């Protein structure tokens, strides 16, 4: 779908196209209702700022769709395929890094009660592991802010891809 098609689409179709980018209804509604966009850059900027800040319930619901770093997404949904493609860029991990990520994921989930989320695109496994280690020292409040930021980064990358860039 290109920007012109997105701008011309019916409300339901536009919202449906946005959902795999970020399944937060308030974000979807804001972007779909603000059409037409004069440029892709304007749409991406709107995606960065929409529904800001996310509520704890919105974050929890959005996290339910994300697999652990280093694990394959379940199912065959558009969102699962996007997640798999994003993590595919990480390449193969050596055994030590893979084990450290698995241990870090477990520690993070024990501390915060949710999956560790980070924009994987453009990062190496070692960079992700370093971020995970740093974020384990955060408070739950600090993490909520970071998770919101990471969700936005993922959403904007997916939105950019959706628009054929």
């Amino acid at each position: 779908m290109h920007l012109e098609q997105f701008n011309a689409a019916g409300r339901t179709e536009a919202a449906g196209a946005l959902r795999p980018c970020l399944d937060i209804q308030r974000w979807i509604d804001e972007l779909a209702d603000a059409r037409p966009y004069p440029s892709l850059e304007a749409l991406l900027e709107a995606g960065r700022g929409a529904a800001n800040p996310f509520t704890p319930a919105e974050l929890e619901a959005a996290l339910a769709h994300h697999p652990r770093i280093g694990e394959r997404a379940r199912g065959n949904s558009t969102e699962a395929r996007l997640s798999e493609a994003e993590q595919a860029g990480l390449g193969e991990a050596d055994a030590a890094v893979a084990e450290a990520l698995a241990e870090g994921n477990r520690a993070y989930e024990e501390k915060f009660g949710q999956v560790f989320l980070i924009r994987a695109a453009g990062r190496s496994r070692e960079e992700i592991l370093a971020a995970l280690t740093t974020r384990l020292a955060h408070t739950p409040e600090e993490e909520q802010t970071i998770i919101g930021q990471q969700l936005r980064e993922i959403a904007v990358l997916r939105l950019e891809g959706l628009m054929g860039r």
Side-chain angles (χ1 to χ4, degrees), residues 20-22 24 27 47-48 52 54 59 62-63 66 69 79 86 108 114-123 127-128 131-132 135 138 142-159:
C21 298
L22 179 59
I24 292 180
W27 184 86
R48 288 182 193 95
N52 192 15
F54 297 132
L59 292 175
L63 286 173
H66 286 271
I69 289 292
E79 195 168 13
E86 291 157 1
Y108 186 94
Q114 60 197 23
V115 68
F116 171 71
L117 180 82
I118 191 167
R119 175 191 41 80
R123 291 188 167 118
E127 289 171 314
I128 291 171
L132 174 55
R135 287 174 55 187
H138 290 166
E142 290 170 321
E143 269 306 288
Q144 291 299 298
T145 300
I146 292 170
I147 291 166
Q149 174 215 357
Q150 293 300 304
L151 279 170
R152 286 179 193 287
E153 288 181 22
I154 293 165
V156 169
L157 284 172
R158 289 178 177 183
L159 186 57

Side-chain angles (χ1 to χ4, degrees), residues 1-146:
M1 176 178 283
H2 293 285
L3 180 64
E4 297 79 23
Q5 295 167 309
F6 177 70
N7 281 336
R11 172 69 168 69
T12 302
E13 183 183 356
L18 292 169
R19 190 165 309 283
C21 298
L22 179 59
D23 195 4
I24 292 180
Q25 192 61 49
R26 193 164 52 102
W27 184 86
I28 293 167
D29 290 343
E30 285 186 31
L31 291 180
D33 292 343
R35 293 172 307 138
Y37 293 94
S39 66
L40 177 58
E41 289 70 29
L43 172 59
L44 297 177
E45 188 58 35
R48 288 182 193 95
N52 192 15
F54 297 132
T55 67
E58 289 170 333
L59 292 175
E60 183 178 337
L63 286 173
H65 299 283
H66 286 271
R68 290 178 184 92
I69 289 292
E71 292 184 7
R72 295 181 61 99
R74 292 189 185 119
N76 195 28
S77 68
T78 300
E79 195 168 13
R81 288 191 304 274
L82 289 168
S83 181
E84 188 173 320
E86 291 157 1
Q87 288 202 42
L90 296 174
E92 293 297 317
D94 67 33
V97 172
E99 181 57 33
L101 279 172
E103 287 177 21
N105 278 330
R106 283 190 293 275
Y108 186 94
E109 289 175 24
E110 285 175 17
K111 179 173 182 175
F112 296 109
Q114 60 197 23
V115 68
F116 171 71
L117 180 82
I118 191 167
R119 175 191 41 80
R123 291 188 167 118
S124 70
R125 290 182 187 271
E126 291 77 13
E127 289 171 314
I128 291 171
L129 180 57
L132 174 55
T133 302
T134 297
R135 287 174 55 187
L136 278 167
H138 290 166
T139 65
E141 295 76 23
E142 290 170 321
E143 269 306 288
Q144 291 299 298
T145 300
I146 292 170

